Amino acid sequence: MKGVGFSNNDRNFLAPWIIGAGGWCLLTVFLLDTYQQIGDPRNLEDLFFVLALLWGEFGFAALFNAAYSGRFYRLAPFAAVTLLPPLIVYFLYLT
């Protein structure tokens, strides 16, 4: 929260996002692997796109909240946390 004595250098605000990204990546890898085995592989990219949008919606909400709150120093870490998990899964499964 703004104005409650948190240091600008404190990176603990990323801990929930990193845990969430790890869980999201594991769940996405499991879903894509299962879908690849039993589903139509032509729709695999569409499923990945929907899962990436699901993750991205929370990341962009955090970006907008940080910008609205005036915490511009958090924009770069939130952008990285928003973009890296879908890119990692993309390079693992779709290339």
Side-chain angles (χ1 to χ4, degrees):
M1 291 181 7
K2 190 173 183 179
V4 292
F6 287 109
S7 169
N8 286 352
N9 296 329
D10 185 19
R11 295 289 185 202
N12 289 336
F13 70 93
L14 282 177
W17 287 97
I18 292 171
I19 293 167
W24 178 86
C25 280
L26 290 175
L27 180 64
T28 301
V29 166
F30 174 75
L31 288 174
L32 291 175
D33 188 47
T34 303
Y35 186 79
Q36 202 172 25
Q37 291 175 5
I38 63 173
D40 186 5
R42 293 179 299 178
N43 297 326
L44 193 60
E45 289 184 20
D46 297 333
L47 179 63
F48 168 75
F49 182 69
V50 169
L51 291 169
L53 286 178
L54 177 67
W55 175 257
E57 107 182 69
F58 297 108
F60 283 114
L63 284 168
F64 290 130
N65 184 25
Y68 181 75
S69 300
R71 297 182 187 128
F72 299 110
Y73 60 93
R74 289 188 177 180
L75 291 179
F78 280 151
V81 170
T82 301
L83 297 175
L84 286 179
L87 288 174
I88 290 170
V89 172
Y90 178 79
F91 287 118
L92 285 176
Y93 272 90
L94 300 179
T95 57

